[in-house]
């Protein structure tokens, strides 16, 4: 967060040495897309991919007003929203309505959006051709890691592997890729004013 005497505060996000984990360019694209649908998201002030003023890409966003929701797994912090149960239900209902709008945006491909491809071609596309590439391969690789180290029981590993392989075709039934929020959590849901 950057604050100024004469201007509203902003959020400065930067990528330096992201090593294949770049996301700012398409984060800015996604913000503009969802804002056009009426989703409450911060305004993009600037995006610089040139690395001429900073040793990496950076994005400057308006700082949204309000306080983030506290996570359910710990006590509320002083800088988090204090809501009644009814208010929380209203906030979560509103969040669901906004997510429904986000999910109305179709994209090509699956998984994390590919910033480098977008910079080269202008195409917005997930890094994988199917959900299987996003979900199944990493899950099987995790089992390959866990099983020989006896981190979970061998029988459980076998049952999990069998379930994944038996039902892999379900992943191929997902053939309508949509934009999803990649890091949805309480810290990204801000509450400004409530009338309930």
């Amino acid at each position: 967060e950057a604050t100024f005497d004469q201007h509203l505060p902003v959020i400065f996000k930067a990528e330096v040495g992201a090593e294949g984990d770049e996301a700012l360019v398409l984060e800015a694209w996604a913000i503009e897309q969802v804002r056009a649908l009426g989703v409450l998201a911060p305004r993009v002030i600037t995006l610089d991919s040139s690395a001429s003023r900073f040793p990496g890409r950076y994005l400057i966003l308006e700082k949204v007003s309000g306080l983030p929701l506290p996570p359910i797994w710990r006590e509320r912090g002083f800088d988090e929203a204090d809501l009644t149960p009814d208010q929380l239900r209203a906030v979560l209902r509103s969040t669901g309505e906004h997510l429904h709008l986000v999910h109305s945006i179709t994209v090509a491909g699956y998984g994390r959006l590919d910033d480098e491809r977008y910079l080269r071609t202008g195409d917005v596309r997930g890094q994988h051709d199917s959900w299987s590439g996003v979900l199944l391969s990493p899950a099987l690789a995790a089992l390959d890691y866990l099983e020989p180290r006896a981190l979970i029981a061998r029988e459980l590993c076998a049952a999990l592997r069998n379930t994944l392989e038996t039902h892999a075709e379900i992943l191929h039934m997902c053939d309508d890729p949509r934009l999803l929020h990649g890091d949805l959590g309480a810290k990204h849901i801000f509450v400004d004013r409530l009338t309930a």
Side-chain angles (χ1 to χ4, degrees), residues 84-95:
T84 68
D86 286 343
Q87 290 173 326
L88 179 59
R89 276 191 286 280
V91 168
L92 294 178
R93 186 176 303 110
S94 177
T95 300

Side-chain angles (χ1 to χ4, degrees), residues 26-45 59-65 98 101-105 179:
L26 282 168
E27 180 178 346
W29 172 86
I31 288 171
E32 296 295 344
Q33 299 303 304
V34 301
R35 281 177 57 84
L37 295 175
V39 174
L40 300 175
R43 186 173 56 88
V44 174
I45 296 170
L59 173 63
I60 299 177
L61 302 168
E62 71 176 348
K63 182 182 180 206
V64 295
S65 59
H98 284 269
L101 292 173
V102 171
H103 299 165
S104 73
I105 300 171
L179 185 65

Side-chain angles (χ1 to χ4, degrees), residues 1-63:
E1 180 179 345
T3 58
F4 309 92
D5 291 336
Q6 305 296 326
H7 302 284
L8 293 173
V10 298
I11 302 297
F12 178 84
K13 296 180 79 171
E15 290 173 346
V16 178
E19 300 168 4
D21 196 26
E22 295 86 359
L24 286 184
V25 174
L26 282 168
E27 180 178 346
W29 172 86
I31 288 171
E32 296 295 344
Q33 299 303 304
V34 301
R35 281 177 57 84
L37 295 175
V39 174
L40 300 175
R43 186 173 56 88
V44 174
I45 296 170
T46 192
L47 168 69
D48 188 335
S49 295
S50 69
S52 62
R53 299 180 193 166
F54 188 80
R57 297 177 187 149
Y58 68 87
L59 173 63
I60 299 177
L61 302 168
E62 71 176 348
K63 182 182 180 206

